[in-house]
Amino acid sequence: MTAKQATRQLTLTAMFIALVVLLGLTPLGLIPLGFINVTILHIPVIIGTLALGLKGGVVLGLAFGIVSTLRAFGIPLPASVLVSNLIAESPLLVVVMSMFPRLMVPLVTYGVHRLMAGRGARRYVALPVAAVAGTLTNTILYLGLMLLFYALTALDVAAVLGLIAGTGAIGGGAESVVAALVTTPVVLALEKIQKK
């Protein structure tokens, strides 16, 4: 990698981190539904992973996890009711729930994209499929860990099961569609810019 390419990679990584922080620490990136938040924070992580590679993606996933952890603890905006209930029982479990799924997003996105590209899939197919896979990884792991941690801390799982399932189905579906629609043109545009 030339010095010019390294500078470009570092600049793009910094831009994506700034975008994650902006979206995560303002009302722009998390859409509160009262009981839980629907997020678009995963989209810069997915785009960054596909444009910068796995190393850059993991850095962005870490930034996403840190921002999510801050939000879970009410910094700077109040946490959702479900997360607040869990924090009262185990702050450590909330940190795990906020970090682990976010770190898995770039790994799954990168892996699915490589698998599809290795099998000859066209870019306009591989990119949205990888974006959906990364999005569903975030949704399923986050909500799945929330449900598991509710059970482990003896909180009322039955009372929240419907909320979590509904959020996963509706929110996760909407997040996946948005990620697929946004990721493909942005990654293709970034690739054109990087080739210049």
Side-chain angles (χ1 to χ4, degrees), residues 17-179:
I17 289 172
L19 187 56
V20 168
V21 170
L22 174 70
L23 291 174
L25 297 181
T26 67
L28 300 174
L30 291 171
I31 303 154
L33 300 179
F35 52 91
I36 202 158
N37 296 321
V38 174
T39 184
I40 57 170
L41 279 169
H42 61 290
I43 294 175
V45 176
I46 290 168
I47 292 171
T49 300
L50 294 169
L52 301 169
L54 184 58
K55 187 177 176 182
V58 169
V59 170
L60 295 172
L62 181 63
F64 181 15
I66 291 168
V67 167
S68 296
T69 302
L70 291 173
R71 284 294 301 261
F73 285 89
I75 302 168
L77 302 167
S80 69
V81 174
L82 291 178
V83 173
S84 297
N85 291 340
L86 194 52
I87 283 178
E89 297 298 321
S90 176
L92 179 60
L93 290 179
V94 171
V95 171
V96 171
M97 182 180 80
S98 298
M99 292 297 296
F100 178 70
R102 284 42 168 160
L103 289 169
M104 293 304 296
V105 169
L107 297 175
V108 171
T109 300
Y110 183 81
V112 167
H113 183 262
R114 281 197 55 143
L115 178 68
M116 293 198 65
R119 293 189 176 184
R122 298 191 184 271
R123 296 286 286 153
Y124 62 84
V125 174
L127 290 171
V129 170
V132 168
T135 302
L136 292 177
T137 297
N138 181 56
T139 301
I140 292 167
L141 285 178
Y142 182 79
L143 295 175
L145 286 175
M146 179 182 286
L147 192 60
L148 173 65
F149 294 161
Y150 258 70
L152 290 175
T153 56
L155 289 168
D156 188 1
V157 174
V160 299
L161 184 58
L163 291 175
I164 290 174
T167 300
I170 296 167
E175 290 170 1
S176 294
V177 169
V178 171

